Amino acid sequence: MSDLLHLEVSPLGEHSISRSISKEFLATYKANNPDAVIVTRDLAIDPVPHLDGETINAGYTPEADRPASMATKHEARLTLAQEVIDAKHILISTPMWNFTVPSVLKAWIDQIIIPGHTTVSGKVTIIEAQGGSYAEGAPRAGWDWETGYLKQVFTSLGATDVEVILSEFGLAGVVPALANFIDNKNASIAAAKKAAQTRAAA
Ligand SMILES: Cc1cc2nc3c(=O)[nH]c(=O)nc-3n(C[C@H](O)[C@H](O)[C@H](O)COP(=O)(O)O)c2cc1C
């Protein structure tokens, strides 16, 4: 049982925008909930395995007939799912990669969704760092396959309180095409940090 299940995804450590925002969430959360039990999974350091055939087939194989390697993989999957089921609040901090979630996060999602088994009853907070902007009116409006996808993952599991905190223009100052958006970047990160603090205090 945990009060907070905290997932990190970015491999960029100290330079990660998503991590800098989740840091603000965690500081406020810990200040407000000093005794909270927090389970952290850093998928950049400890990725979970992709679903393989043996893990999938465990669901269709009676327990007594499962070979040891299948049983071990099944147990590991159940452990990941149980962390989700038990959490009162799930915090996901992730970049956008190629218009959606990085594959380490997708691998975790494939592990934890066990139809008819996995449910989410607590809050879900998703912190997303994007390099550009997919807002209405932007040249690539409609190209964001991450935000709606992540919301759908958790609402499909029963979550009713899902908040996405978005920071945009992370690549301003990095790629020449976005050189004019550095102010937007800084404002977006500052707003996301504030939203993260507010959410953590709620
Ligand atoms: C492999 C890779 C793919 C990326 N794809 C996109 C993308 O499709 N859209 C976008 O807006 N930014 C994209 N970016 C930029 C990141 O989303 C942006 O730099 C963000 O700040 C990354 O989060 P982080 O700083 O927490 O790692 C990509 C970055 C990398 C490394």
Side-chain angles (χ1 to χ4, degrees):
M1 180 60 80
S2 75
D3 296 296
L4 183 70
L5 173 62
H6 163 214
L7 264 91
E8 289 293 344
V9 175
S10 173
L12 296 185
E14 302 250 302
H15 302 289
S16 157
I17 293 173
S18 54
R19 284 177 190 262
S20 76
I21 298 165
S22 59
K23 203 170 159 185
E24 298 296 328
F25 179 102
L26 288 165
T28 304
Y29 183 87
K30 286 178 186 169
N32 282 277
N33 307 278
D35 300 322
V37 176
I38 302 178
V39 172
T40 302
R41 282 208 171 262
D42 194 326
L43 299 176
I45 294 170
D46 274 321
V48 302
H50 284 107
L51 274 189
D52 62 7
E54 207 173 25
T55 316
I56 295 165
N57 285 326
Y60 311 114
T61 307
E63 201 175 332
D65 298 339
R66 288 178 198 146
S69 62
M70 180 185 272
T72 303
K73 288 175 184 176
H74 186 61
E75 280 307 312
R77 188 178 190 193
L78 289 179
T79 299
L80 292 171
Q82 201 60 41
E83 288 175 359
V84 169
I85 295 165
D86 287 344
K88 292 190 192 138
H89 195 147
I90 299 171
L91 171 67
I92 308 230
S93 160
T94 183
M96 170 187 271
W97 277 8
N98 300 317
F99 315 113
T100 188
V101 295
S103 60
V104 289
L105 180 54
K106 181 60 165 62
W108 178 85
I109 289 168
D110 291 338
Q111 288 281 356
I112 60 108
I113 297 185
I114 305 176
H117 175 81
T118 313
T119 52
V120 172
S121 54
K123 291 182 186 183
V124 179
T125 303
I126 297 161
I127 292 170
E128 261 182 57
Q130 300 180 341
S133 172
Y134 300 88
E136 227 179 295
R140 292 184 170 186
W143 290 32
D144 174 357
W145 297 100
E146 179 175 41
T147 307
Y149 169 66
L150 285 173
K151 275 190 195 163
Q152 180 145 10
V153 162
F154 290 100
T155 51
S156 80
L157 295 173
T160 53
D161 183 352
V162 182
E163 181 171 329
V164 175
I165 297 171
L166 196 60
S167 77
E168 301 179 304
F169 295 110
L171 289 175
V174 181
V175 298
L178 292 177
N180 291 334
F181 293 93
I182 292 177
D183 289 348
N184 304 65
K185 171 182 179 172
N186 292 334
S188 184
I189 293 172
K193 286 182 175 173
K194 203 154 185 235
Q197 290 163 349
T198 303
R199 176 70 166 172

